[in-house]
Amino acid sequence: MSRVYNFSAGPAVLPEEVLKEAAEEMLDYNGTGMSVMEMSHRSAAFKEIIDTAEKDLRDLMNIPDNYKVLFLQGGASQQFAMIPMNLMKNKVADYIVTGQWAKKAYQEAQKYGKVNKIASSEDKTFSYIPDVSDLPVSPDADYVYICENNTIYGTKYRQLPNTKGKTLVADVSSCFLSEPVDVTKYGIIYGGVQKNIGPAGMVIVIIREDLITEDVLPGTPTMLTYKTHADAGSLYNTPNAYCIYMCGKVFKWLKSMGGLEEMKRRNEEKAKILYDFLDESKLFHGTVVPEDRSLMNVPFVTGDKEMDAKFVKEATAAGLVNLKGHRTVGGMRASIYNAMPKAGVEALVAFMKKFEEENA
């Protein structure tokens, strides 16, 4: 069986070179005579793996010294609770709701304090990003929260919100490492790794040191306190060791490809191929306003549910898999993360053209 073009939103496509390298090291990592899967997280060999992964990530993102990098479990969804537990000193937070995941984070935070929805795009099925240049930021808000790239709806912030001096917290799960980013604009920038960086089962949290304190909400579990993990270098308990190893390999791959500037160039080039076709197609059309389109997740529809289903079925048979849209919106979605080659997008567009001709 040859490899398919996998357009899944996550767990998602990984670079082939990385998978081959991991396969070669599966039984014997670097002369240790064992797999990383079998290795103690306290061993010298693993310490080198985690330290190198962190250093490479810092290089890629130019992460300043006053930010900690944490490799945590529980996925991005666990951060929905961990953030208010650790940051809600005044018990007030402002949320901008631009999709399913921002909405879930907003709902979860309500368990811990007063949560204000200061902007939303729910009125038009999250098909745009609201104007965030002058929002009613609460004077006593502990932070302002966004989900920067909306996987399900295919929108992306082009400008970060004006938080009026408040700490910005951003979930970047589906745009992580897809383009350069100024880490200093955020208090916390975090994301699940299973979309653009590695296998499922981990979240990376990049957090400014002044936000890591013992002053957390009463009843916050030890494991949900940032200080616990920051003080222990992400090794308070057994981490997701194999996932850290795989992410480390992807960081090396990104560096070898030319870093995040080059990734942005490639991602823009790939997205343009697909969006240009959608803009001229008579059958397919995109669902997002052009100025807020994501480079990573491209939702589209024919306007006919049966036609959509037929397209997904035939595409799958042609080796273009996981194109079905999220159950909440239907239609199709092509996730074209860093590891999706340009050839994959070209193959998708060629197939869409053929399908359109046959079903006009």
Side-chain angles (χ1 to χ4, degrees):
M1 170 81 184
S2 62
R3 275 176 68 76
V4 295
Y5 286 120
N6 177 12
F7 293 95
S8 171
V13 60
L14 285 165
E16 212 164 299
E17 299 96 300
V18 167
L19 294 173
K20 283 177 175 161
E21 218 175 272
E24 281 165 19
E25 293 174 352
M26 181 55 81
L27 296 177
D28 176 12
Y29 172 74
N30 209 11
T32 57
M34 64 177 112
S35 172
V36 175
M37 283 192 191
E38 308 168 289
M39 191 180 281
S40 164
H41 63 296
R42 305 285 178 206
S43 65
F46 186 72
K47 180 156 178 29
E48 192 197 358
I49 288 171
I50 192 170
D51 289 351
T52 304
E54 180 177 333
K55 183 184 180 304
D56 286 337
L57 180 61
R58 284 184 177 277
D59 289 350
L60 282 165
M61 292 180 73
N62 293 317
I63 299 173
D65 291 344
N66 66 323
Y67 282 75
K68 289 269 195 243
V69 173
L70 307 176
F71 298 108
L72 305 178
Q73 294 169 74
S77 295
Q78 188 155 288
Q79 293 304 307
F80 299 169
M82 202 162 169
I83 287 158
M85 283 175 166
N86 284 264
L87 265 55
M88 262 196 180
K89 315 297 187 207
N90 299 326
K91 293 211 169 180
V92 181
D94 289 352
Y95 279 64
I96 302 172
V97 178
T98 52
Q100 185 101 330
W101 303 112
K103 189 176 179 179
K104 286 192 166 172
Y106 162 73
Q107 289 166 338
E108 186 72 12
Q110 289 170 31
K111 295 176 178 176
Y112 305 103
K114 182 172 187 287
V115 185
N116 307 301
K117 188 193 291 185
I118 57 169
S120 171
S121 54
E122 199 161 6
D123 61 332
K124 293 185 180 165
T125 328
F126 301 124
S127 58
Y128 71 102
I129 297 289
D131 178 4
V132 292
S133 59
D134 185 19
L135 295 171
V137 175
S138 312
D140 52 352
D142 291 302
Y143 59 90
V144 175
Y145 182 101
I146 63 169
C147 179
E148 200 165 313
N149 186 91
N150 295 283
T151 325
I152 295 173
Y153 302 95
T155 57
K156 166 78 163 69
Y157 282 78
R158 292 276 167 263
Q159 298 308 143
L160 291 176
N162 171 7
T163 64
K164 303 185 179 172
K166 301 299 180 188
T167 297
L168 178 64
V169 175
D171 174 353
V172 296
S173 294
S174 51
C175 60
F176 220 161
L177 301 181
S178 63
E179 59 184 23
V181 56
D182 180 356
V183 175
T184 63
K185 290 183 174 169
Y186 306 82
I188 295 180
I189 181 168
Y190 79 91
V193 301
Q194 74 280 6
K195 297 172 182 295
N196 213 21
I197 306 176
M202 195 168 75
V203 59
I204 295 174
V205 176
I206 300 160
I207 176 170
R208 208 173 58 228
E209 283 178 347
D210 62 286
L211 299 174
I212 304 170
T213 66
E214 283 169 351
D215 176 24
V216 296
L217 293 187
T220 298
T222 305
M223 282 294 289
L224 295 187
T225 304
Y226 288 123
K227 194 168 176 11
T228 299
H229 302 286
D231 288 352
S234 301
L235 295 171
Y236 176 76
N237 67 325
T238 311
N240 191 336
Y242 196 77
C243 191
I244 292 168
Y245 156 79
M246 288 297 290
C247 290
K249 288 213 173 295
V250 172
F251 301 154
K252 287 262 184 256
W253 176 77
L254 286 167
K255 286 174 95 169
S256 75
M257 299 301 274
L260 303 191
E261 286 286 354
E262 174 60 16
M263 279 306 144
K264 183 182 187 198
R265 187 195 68 75
R266 286 167 175 254
N267 289 327
E268 285 174 343
E269 181 184 35
K270 287 186 303 192
K272 187 176 189 309
I273 294 167
L274 184 46
Y275 284 125
D276 282 356
F277 172 70
L278 287 172
D279 287 344
E280 66 184 37
S281 170
K282 302 260 190 300
L283 179 62
F284 300 100
H285 57 270
T287 56
V288 172
V289 298
E291 61 272 21
D292 296 331
R293 285 170 165 174
S294 167
L295 297 179
M296 297 282 98
N297 311 100
V298 184
F300 57 96
V301 293
T302 65
D304 178 316
K305 279 185 180 166
E306 283 172 14
M307 187 68 80
D308 288 352
K310 183 182 186 205
F311 173 79
V312 170
K313 188 179 174 197
E314 290 183 12
T316 303
L320 305 163
V321 306
N322 292 318
L323 282 162
K324 189 169 189 267
H326 191 270
R327 61 185 182 277
T328 57
V329 287
M332 284 74 67
R333 170 181 52 184
S335 293
I336 49 177
Y337 298 125
N338 286 340
M340 172 58 68
K342 182 178 163 188
V345 182
E346 289 170 338
L348 172 61
V349 168
F351 180 80
M352 289 167 79
K353 281 180 179 162
K354 179 170 162 282
F355 185 89
E356 183 168 334
E357 283 161 17
E358 290 167 2
N359 294 275

